[in-house]
């Protein structure tokens, strides 16, 4: 019985060690991820929003010609089907 108890304790210690090693590896991978400062990310987002036309916000960009609007229907007829 004593050997069984020692084996069980060793097994628990090994599994705890393995969890710690796995957690350590995950933290190291996260540490290696490239970082961007918030100010740089914000400036990049503002630059993108100013330079990229959003057809869904005509109040900012003005009306959009139908041929330039990717969300406009391609044909003059309804594409709805009734089953």
């Amino acid at each position: 019985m004593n050997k069984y108890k020692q084996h069980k304790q060793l097994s628990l210690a090994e599994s705890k060690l393995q969890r710690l090693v796995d957690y350590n590896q995950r933290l190291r991978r996260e540490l290696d991820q490239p970082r961007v400062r918030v100010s740089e990310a914000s400036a990049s987002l503002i630059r993108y929003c100013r330079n990229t036309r959003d057809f869904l916000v005509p109040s900012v960009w003005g009306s959009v010609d139908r041929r330039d609007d990717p969300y406009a229907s391609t044909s003059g007829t309804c594409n709805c089907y009734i089953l």
Side-chain angles (χ1 to χ4, degrees):
M1 192 71 129
N2 195 13
K3 284 185 177 182
Y4 175 73
K5 190 173 184 179
Q6 286 177 340
H7 178 69
K8 186 175 180 183
Q9 287 177 347
L10 182 63
S11 178
L12 289 173
E14 288 174 344
S15 66
K16 185 174 182 178
L17 175 63
Q18 185 60 44
R19 282 194 310 259
L20 287 172
V21 168
D22 292 342
Y23 184 62
N24 191 4
Q25 288 175 348
R26 188 174 67 212
L27 289 174
R28 287 183 186 274
R29 282 193 305 269
E30 289 179 13
L31 184 63
D32 291 338
Q33 290 290 325
R35 306 284 186 222
V36 177
R37 292 182 178 200
V38 173
S39 57
E40 294 172 15
S42 300
S44 175
L45 181 60
I46 290 169
R47 202 171 32 255
Y48 175 81
C49 291
R50 286 184 178 164
N51 296 329
T52 304
R53 191 167 186 185
D54 188 350
F55 297 108
L56 297 177
V57 189
S59 62
V60 174
W61 294 101
S63 62
V64 179
D65 191 4
R66 283 184 78 68
R67 61 187 159 94
D68 294 334
D69 188 357
Y71 301 107
S73 62
T74 55
S75 63
T77 61
C78 178
N79 293 329
C80 302
Y81 297 100
I82 299 174
L83 300 175

